[in-house]
Amino acid sequence: MTAVSPPPPVTAAAPPAPLPARRAGFTGRLLAEWTKIRSVRSTAWTLLIFVVVSLGLTGLLTWLTLHSLNNGKNGARDSGILTDPVNFILGTGLGLGQLAICVLGALVITSEYSSGTIRASLLAVPRRYPVMLAKALVFAVLVFIIGEIVAFCSFFIGAVLVNGQTYTLHGSVAGHAVTVHRTLSVSLSQPGVLRAVFGSGLYLTVLGLFALAIGGLIRHTAGAITAVIGMVLVIFPLAGLLPDSWGAHVHAYLPTIAGQLITQDKPTAGQLLSAWQGFGVFCAWTALLLAAAIFLLQRRDA
């Protein structure tokens, strides 16, 4: 009998070598930051409050002022709607609505520290600074788009209410009574108006980045929001009370004071900076604070 040799053992095919993991680039960081910002409910609610407050107050305060003006109340004449209706329209709703952008800018960064998700972000990006850059860029684009839409809508709401309104001024010249009739009219084609409306969106964008930088420095939600709103509403405006010419120069170069010049269609008396110079000063302040926030992000533990 011939011996039958057993069949050779079947060897399993070696599994394919895994592909080398690719590190997510800056585009991946942008997508990650966009996912984080839009998935947080506070973002949608804060932006909704910004839109409603800005547009609602623009229409309401403009209508109330015009109504008082038609009834001959002196307070309405002192509101500025007669001398500069564009600045009045842009300054009523957006002046209060900007606080929502301040809150959102601080929340974008401080909410990650309070929830602890910043640790996961920094583990994925050991160099850290791309996290802040991507967050700032995504947030700036979001605020710019929303801010420009709200700024133009605010202007058009105010223009509908203002255009065609006629008022009468009574005075005296050389002892003779004089009566002046004037009709209010605003449009984007007037000098400086388009720049002021578009500049309002730019101002809101940089203001949001300014608040984000403060949040990155303080890393505490309540503290960051208090600091930003305190500077915008209290500290910077009160600096205008500083005496002499040095006080006027200090006040003119403060961040939001300089930045708001781009939202005005006409220069004011004693204005030290042009609209674009003031906006450049605001951008410089914001860039400096963002650089400080990035530096501390590199140095401090999360």
Side-chain angles (χ1 to χ4, degrees):
M1 296 178 63
T2 58
V4 180
S5 58
V10 179
T11 58
L19 295 175
R22 293 184 301 175
R23 299 182 64 180
F26 191 69
T27 303
R29 286 274 15 117
L30 293 175
L31 294 175
E33 294 300 331
W34 168 241
T35 301
K36 286 190 289 185
I37 289 178
R38 67 182 176 87
S39 61
V40 178
R41 285 184 294 179
S42 60
T43 301
W45 280 109
T46 308
L47 289 177
L48 179 62
I49 292 173
F50 165 66
V51 173
V52 172
V53 168
S54 299
L55 299 182
L57 285 182
T58 297
L60 178 62
L61 294 180
T62 302
W63 179 82
L64 288 176
T65 304
L66 292 172
H67 180 72
S68 299
L69 182 64
N70 292 331
N71 291 335
K73 296 183 179 180
N74 293 329
R77 299 183 186 276
D78 299 332
S79 64
I81 195 170
L82 299 181
T83 57
D84 193 353
V86 174
N87 189 35
F88 178 86
I89 292 171
L90 295 177
T92 50
L94 293 177
L96 188 59
Q98 67 176 339
L99 300 182
I101 299 299
C102 294
V103 172
L104 182 59
L107 282 175
V108 164
I109 182 67
T110 58
S111 60
E112 291 200 44
Y113 282 103
S114 60
S115 63
T117 56
I118 189 68
R119 298 186 184 94
S121 300
L122 298 182
L123 285 175
V125 187
R127 298 175 69 181
R128 294 192 173 191
Y129 73 88
V131 174
M132 183 66 78
L133 292 179
K135 189 182 299 294
L137 182 57
V138 171
F139 180 64
V141 172
L142 175 63
V143 176
F144 175 75
I145 294 174
I146 301 297
E148 291 294 350
I149 294 174
V150 172
F152 276 92
C153 289
S154 297
F155 173 78
F156 290 133
I157 290 174
V160 169
L161 296 172
V162 166
N163 285 338
Q165 291 290 329
T166 303
Y167 66 93
T168 303
L169 291 178
H170 301 280
S172 62
V173 177
H176 299 283
V178 176
T179 301
V180 178
H181 301 278
R182 182 180 174 185
T183 301
L184 292 175
S185 177
V186 295
S187 68
L188 292 176
S189 61
Q190 294 174 345
V193 175
L194 180 59
R195 189 260 304 149
V197 179
F198 183 75
S200 297
L202 293 178
Y203 168 78
L204 292 170
T205 302
V206 181
L207 179 64
L209 292 176
F210 181 84
L212 187 149
I214 296 296
L217 292 172
I218 297 179
R219 304 199 304 181
H220 187 272
T221 300
I225 292 176
T226 302
V228 175
I229 294 180
M231 285 186 284
V232 172
L233 288 186
V234 181
I235 298 177
F236 296 160
L238 285 181
L241 301 177
L242 293 173
D244 302 327
S245 61
W246 67 268
H249 282 79
V250 170
H251 180 253
Y253 282 88
L254 291 176
T256 55
I257 301 300
Q260 287 175 352
L261 295 178
I262 200 173
T263 67
Q264 301 172 2
D265 62 318
K266 300 175 183 178
T268 58
Q271 183 174 309
L272 300 178
L273 301 173
S274 68
W276 289 108
Q277 287 174 341
F279 182 69
V281 169
F282 191 22
C283 290
W285 275 104
T286 303
L288 181 63
L289 291 176
L290 281 174
I294 292 174
F295 175 77
L296 293 180
L297 181 66
Q298 300 277 86
R299 305 282 293 183
R300 297 188 296 193
D301 294 332

